[in-house]
Amino acid sequence: MAPLRPRWNPMSALGLEQIYSLSLYWKSQEYSTYSLKLPMDQVSSLFGQSRTGLGWLEHHAMAWVPEAISSDSYVVDLGPRGVQEVQEGLQRFKELELDGHEVSRHNFHLPTLEAQLEQACHEVHRGRGFVILRGLDPQQYSVEDNLMIYLGIAAYIGDQRGFQDKKGNMLTHITASKDWKTPPELRHGIHTTKGLSWHCDIGVDILALHVRSLAEHGGDTFIASSLTIVKELEALYPHVIQALQEAAWPIQISGNPIPRYILAPLLHMDPENNHIILSVDPGRLGVHPSTTRTDGTSPIPPLTPTQLETLRILNQVASKYRLRLDTKAGDIVFLNNFAHLHARDAYSDPGQGQGRHLVRLYLRNAALAHPVPESMRVPWEAAFGPRNGEGRYPVAPALEYTAPRYTAGSAAFPLDDNDDVNGDGTA
């Protein structure tokens, strides 16, 4: 069977309105032209037959199911005394007259909260894999103070912060600002009110989100345990596990390397360390409008029918086990990104006032993080590898939005404006 080549519509590259539809693929509008919705007894013919022994996942803390999770079990309330201690820590840090990149747990002292935050850190790395810290009201602080508080608390979860793009940004404002004149269809997906399909931020250990404000309707964040997903795949679709582990997935990378992609697995299992990594961002897999030349060819290979079917099944199982995070303004979410997928539904903002606004950080805890396998290190090193400079910390969204040339990818280091994606000097 010859590999199929998607027909791309650049203006709908992030049209993901039907996130949870079980009949569509991850990038729904792009892949809906295919007729790969095969009965499962025919799907097996696309794959080799394989089964793996995953008994070690049976009682893993991160292999949770949504019906067993209540919101009060993952929310850590700082309480009035904790909020006061954060304010005191902020004041002491400001007296040091240091910059944002210098914030650490050693100069943002939280003596009473320290034990509570260390427990939260352990929960993220060795427990269920996610926590929400609650109690702070962002309306009570300036944008600068909100950022310092966020960085100070985050330092107790991860001692390393990762770059989010080649420009050196260490954080990203996820919002659809009313001040922006650029049409939504010309923005990156995270800067629109559209939904985002199941993905993780490729190459990132811990995903942190500070909820500055919420949408009027929708905009919920959903997560799904990668370990639970893998357990179901092992039981029902072991061929999908085999496909995910093959170093044959074309992942777009930034920075004008040659070639413009790497071939890597999306799933790594390490039973000796009781750990798995599932690293999937559909916006960075296979060809994209930005990497297609005028003659219709691309330096990046398309996904095969087997890979497309793999993503469809993965999306189906993730939707089955989705958990809606009960977030409130001021919450700080910490998510083990290698052990969870996440998604967002579409939303609408109020006509007046601030709309949905989250601030994203990438974190790593050197003491608790598992080693990243060599086959998956390229995107990880882009975020956490050697760097020049201390990075940029914009305290607020840009007043003007510059339309990116490329909108592929949901995570760190998607294609950038100055990337020579065709490798011939013609971007």
Side-chain angles (χ1 to χ4, degrees):
M1 184 175 181
L4 299 177
R5 190 178 186 84
R7 291 186 299 162
W8 292 95
N9 178 358
M11 300 303 290
S12 65
L14 285 169
L16 301 166
E17 304 298 332
Q18 297 175 312
I19 296 175
Y20 303 121
S21 171
L22 301 185
S23 64
L24 298 179
Y25 295 103
W26 286 69
K27 296 194 290 185
S28 55
Q29 291 188 17
E30 291 93 323
Y31 294 150
S32 62
T33 56
Y34 286 111
S35 298
L36 290 179
K37 307 174 185 67
L38 304 177
M40 293 316 300
D41 59 353
Q42 296 181 32
V43 169
S44 61
S45 65
L46 291 173
F47 303 88
Q49 294 298 317
S50 173
R51 293 197 67 84
T52 57
L54 298 179
W56 56 281
L57 290 180
E58 188 61 33
H59 302 291
H60 199 291
M62 291 188 194
W64 49 265
V65 292
E67 55 266 26
I69 305 295
S70 60
S71 61
D72 57 358
S73 68
Y74 59 80
V75 173
V76 178
D77 195 331
L78 299 179
R81 179 66 188 94
V83 171
Q84 180 182 346
E85 184 166 291
V86 169
Q87 294 171 344
E88 294 169 353
L90 171 65
Q91 184 59 38
R92 286 192 296 267
F93 177 80
K94 292 168 69 173
E95 291 171 355
L96 298 175
E97 298 184 350
L98 300 175
D99 292 329
H101 72 268
E102 298 176 280
V103 178
S104 73
R105 61 184 298 172
H106 303 298
N107 54 36
F108 201 102
H109 297 294
L110 301 172
T112 303
L113 285 178
E114 182 174 9
Q116 196 173 19
L117 293 176
E118 287 182 349
Q119 183 177 357
C121 180
H122 187 272
E123 184 70 27
V124 170
H125 289 88
R126 298 291 184 266
R128 188 180 293 123
F130 64 99
V131 297
I132 294 179
L133 300 184
R134 179 166 294 168
L136 294 165
D137 181 1
Q139 298 300 317
Q140 299 300 313
Y141 308 97
S142 67
V143 291
E144 294 84 2
D145 286 354
N146 266 311
L147 177 57
M148 295 303 108
I149 289 172
Y150 184 24
L151 295 174
I153 291 176
Y156 287 81
I157 307 300
D159 56 340
Q160 298 174 329
R161 295 191 285 268
F163 280 116
Q164 300 198 25
D165 56 37
K166 290 194 305 183
K167 298 175 183 177
N169 286 308
M170 305 300 292
L171 56 85
T172 297
H173 292 270
I174 301 175
T175 188
S177 173
K178 296 183 177 68
D179 295 329
W180 293 338
K181 306 304 181 186
T182 304
E185 61 268 19
L186 297 181
R187 303 180 204 159
H188 192 286
I190 64 173
H191 296 137
T192 72
T193 61
K194 295 180 180 180
L196 297 176
S197 69
W198 289 107
H199 68 281
C200 72
D201 291 27
I202 287 184
V204 176
D205 297 67
I206 302 300
L207 171 66
L209 298 168
H210 186 197
V211 183
R212 297 286 178 85
S213 55
L214 296 171
E216 185 173 45
H217 301 290
D220 288 324
T221 298
F222 296 86
I223 64 173
S225 163
S226 295
L227 284 78
T228 299
I229 293 170
V230 168
K231 284 176 58 180
E232 174 121 333
L233 294 177
E234 191 271 342
L236 300 179
Y237 315 116
H239 43 273
V240 170
I241 291 181
Q242 177 185 339
L244 290 170
Q245 289 180 295
E246 292 176 351
W249 292 85
I251 301 174
Q252 305 159 14
I253 53 178
S254 181
N256 291 330
I258 298 177
R260 301 295 181 266
Y261 65 96
I262 58 171
L263 291 176
L266 303 183
L267 173 65
H268 172 79
M269 293 190 289
D270 183 5
E272 292 185 4
N273 293 303
N274 206 32
H275 179 61
I276 75 164
I277 292 177
L278 180 60
S279 190
V280 178
D281 182 353
R284 293 178 66 182
L285 299 178
V287 297
H288 184 268
S290 58
T291 62
T292 302
R293 300 186 180 99
T294 56
D295 63 359
T297 64
S298 172
I300 300 178
L303 298 181
T304 67
T306 294
Q307 290 172 331
L308 289 169
E309 190 64 23
T310 294
L311 293 181
R312 185 186 72 82
I313 296 171
L314 188 62
N315 181 64
Q316 175 179 324
V317 176
S319 295
K320 177 180 178 180
Y321 290 106
R322 68 181 183 265
L323 171 71
R324 185 185 72 86
L325 291 182
D326 180 22
T327 55
K328 302 182 183 302
D331 285 354
I332 303 179
V333 180
F334 295 104
L335 177 69
N336 192 314
N337 182 69
F338 281 144
H340 296 84
L341 299 181
H342 58 280
R344 181 188 83 194
D345 63 358
Y347 66 93
S348 59
D349 282 332
Q352 301 294 326
Q354 194 171 20
R356 188 180 190 271
H357 182 190
L358 279 63
V359 183
R360 183 177 70 186
L361 274 175
Y362 292 151
L363 302 172
R364 178 177 174 82
N365 188 301
L368 293 176
H370 290 281
V372 178
E374 283 297 323
S375 61
M376 305 176 86
R377 283 186 67 90
V378 170
W380 178 86
E381 287 178 346
F384 293 100
R387 60 186 63 182
N388 294 318
E390 299 297 339
R392 301 172 61 247
Y393 292 84
V395 297
L399 294 178
E400 295 184 5
Y401 190 91
T402 302
R405 183 179 299 168
Y406 315 124
T407 55
S410 306
F413 290 85
L415 296 173
D416 288 335
D417 283 357
N418 57 352
D419 282 342
D420 175 14
V421 296
N422 292 327
D424 56 9
T426 60

